[in-house]
Amino acid sequence: MFRTTLLGLSLLVAGTAFAQEVKTPLYTVVDGYKVDDNTMTGFRTWRQAACDRCHGANQEGMVGPSLINSLKTLTKEEFVKTVRDGRLDKGMQSFGTSKAVMDNIDHLYAYLKGRSDGAITRAKVQPIQQ
């Protein structure tokens, strides 16, 4: 009886451990401007794609809208679709053929979401020193 109960409890605990998903944070920020490697890659992608030409150096908008405000309501799926397909009727070009942008879309999203959430307090970031 004891063995059966112990075996049952062991299987329950093992099943629960497998069912739980280990979630990695979207971004890690220290002191408001030091970020993890993936978020740093997102910042570099932002710079390489020259998104600041339309959205401003601080993501607060110029010709294009403020991404700080937009990412408060835009889902990740909507963000990816917008970047990939563009919004030609509003002057937003498509980045779907840009390997640099599409390979780093998750990191770009993390960087901009960190800015929008207020965790990243300035546009220019630095890597967290290990």
Side-chain angles (χ1 to χ4, degrees), residues 2-107:
F2 178 73
R3 278 182 148 171
T4 306
T5 304
L6 187 57
L7 178 61
L9 285 173
S10 296
L11 290 173
L12 178 65
V13 169
T16 304
F18 281 109
Q20 291 179 351
E21 220 178 286
V22 178
K23 295 211 176 203
T24 337
L26 185 58
Y27 51 79
T28 302
V29 184
V30 176
D31 299 331
Y33 68 97
K34 297 175 189 170
V35 297
D36 61 276
D37 290 340
N38 289 335
T39 307
M40 193 70 209
T41 298
F43 168 71
R44 290 183 178 124
T45 302
W46 162 268
R47 297 288 302 268
Q48 183 178 359
C51 303
D52 60 320
R53 290 183 299 178
C54 295
H55 296 286
N58 296 314
Q59 298 85 34
E60 295 171 340
M62 286 181 25
V63 176
S66 164
L67 296 179
I68 290 176
N69 292 335
S70 294
L71 266 81
K72 291 184 186 315
T73 57
L74 208 61
T75 66
K76 183 176 181 186
E77 292 74 25
E78 292 168 329
F79 171 80
V80 169
K81 182 180 182 332
T82 301
V83 173
R84 183 191 63 224
D85 301 341
R87 289 187 177 165
L88 300 178
D89 59 322
K90 296 185 177 190
M92 167 79 180
Q93 76 178 72
S94 163
F95 286 89
T97 58
S98 169
K99 183 169 173 42
V101 172
M102 296 313 298
D103 285 355
N104 294 297
I105 193 81
D106 292 337
H107 306 315

